[in-house]
Amino acid sequence: MKFEEIRNQAFEANMKIPENHLALYTWGNVSAFDKKEGVFAIKPSGVPYPELTAESMVIVDLEGKVVDGKLNPSSDTPTHAVLYKEFAVNQNADVGGIIHTHSTFAVSWAQAVKDVPLFGTTHADHIQKNIPCTPYLSKEAVQNDYEKETGLLIVKHFKELNLNPAEINMVLCGGHGPFAWGKNADKAVYNGTVLEEICKMAFNTLALNPAAKNLPDYIVDKHYLRKHGPNAYYGQK
């Protein structure tokens, strides 16, 4: 089987979408990137998760062209291609996997077109800032090339806010839903699952206290750096 490694990675990661309750039916996809080859494996469009196999994953290049595979790739393929090209190649961030879902709480924040405030240490363990939400795509962008323009909007939003995709590995697209990424497809699913849980916690926080404030910076820094800083001590060596 050609591109066996990334096909297997993408297949196993996609199977975790229903396992982690991140999507109903076929409402989500994961891709796995081979930077050296300049291609990624992605879920085929509209195929239910129980019917997926490693062989059914579609291999696509960074221009969105199918390199190998018998099925049509996910309709979100152009978004993945833009993010790999910009974040993994142009910015040299360690991005080897991307996930997109329609998980309930992340979509709720996206539909509200609101950043997710950094209320607590669970959030701070993973990123040091609010989870960004892009504005709506323009009418012209939607009519031009909707999925590609979605990726371009994410990239533009990160540049405008001076966000580093190596550190901020999740985003909401206004009115649409979440994307997350990681060093491989499995880590992308992890970050997508974390994103959904943080969105749920933030929603519940505001339900209990509409005047809730962001966690103080000194607590944010402590929790983030103990896992990701130069002197990190969380976990095993």
Side-chain angles (χ1 to χ4, degrees):
M1 181 171 61
K2 294 177 67 176
F3 305 106
E4 182 174 6
E5 184 175 351
I6 57 172
R7 271 198 161 104
N8 285 331
Q9 288 177 15
F11 166 66
E12 292 171 4
N14 274 285
M15 296 307 291
K16 290 181 180 179
I17 290 179
E19 180 181 320
N20 291 3
H21 307 290
L22 294 178
L24 297 173
Y25 304 115
T26 60
W27 300 357
N29 48 75
V30 187
S31 62
F33 183 46
D34 183 331
K35 186 175 180 178
K36 183 178 180 181
E37 296 291 334
V39 297
F40 58 94
I42 194 166
K43 178 185 178 293
S45 180
V47 178
Y49 298 102
E51 297 178 17
L52 294 177
T53 64
E55 290 80 4
S56 68
M57 299 296 111
V58 187
I59 307 299
V60 184
D61 67 18
L62 293 180
E63 301 306 317
K65 297 179 181 178
V66 173
V67 173
D68 191 66
K70 299 178 181 179
L71 301 174
N72 293 329
S74 166
S75 58
D76 295 301
T77 294
T79 309
H80 290 244
V82 168
L83 296 181
Y84 283 129
K85 194 171 185 179
E86 177 61 30
F87 291 164
V89 178
N90 294 346
Q91 297 188 36
N92 201 34
D94 191 12
V95 177
I98 295 171
I99 183 173
H100 168 59
T101 73
H102 288 260
S103 57
T104 303
F105 284 91
V107 167
S108 298
W109 283 90
Q111 290 179 170
V113 197
K114 291 179 67 70
D115 294 354
V116 182
L118 202 172
F119 285 137
T121 61
T122 307
H123 186 148
D125 279 338
H126 296 89
I127 63 175
Q128 289 178 290
K129 297 180 181 292
N130 295 346
I131 297 168
C133 182
T134 74
Y136 293 133
L137 278 167
S138 68
K139 182 178 180 179
E140 293 75 18
V142 172
Q143 293 175 338
N144 176 38
D145 190 338
Y146 176 62
E147 290 83 6
K148 182 177 180 179
E149 292 286 355
T150 297
L152 293 173
L153 178 62
I154 293 171
V155 170
K156 178 183 177 184
H157 198 62
F158 268 59
K159 288 181 177 178
E160 288 176 346
L161 297 179
N162 195 30
L163 299 177
N164 182 352
E167 296 175 355
I168 310 301
N169 47 32
M170 51 189 71
V171 66
L172 303 174
C173 294
H176 186 181
F179 283 84
W181 48 87
K183 64 181 180 180
N184 52 43
D186 186 65
K187 189 65 176 178
V189 174
Y190 172 86
N191 289 332
T193 306
V194 167
L195 170 55
E196 172 64 5
E197 195 65 18
I198 290 172
C199 287
K200 182 178 181 179
M201 290 175 177
F203 183 92
N204 288 339
T205 299
L206 289 173
L208 290 165
N209 179 9
K213 297 180 179 180
N214 274 35
L215 194 67
D217 287 345
Y218 65 91
I219 303 179
V220 173
D221 292 345
K222 178 63 177 179
H223 271 262
Y224 184 81
L225 293 174
R226 73 174 187 164
K227 294 187 75 171
H228 307 283
N231 298 311
Y233 59 86
Y234 178 88
Q236 302 302 313
K237 293 183 179 180

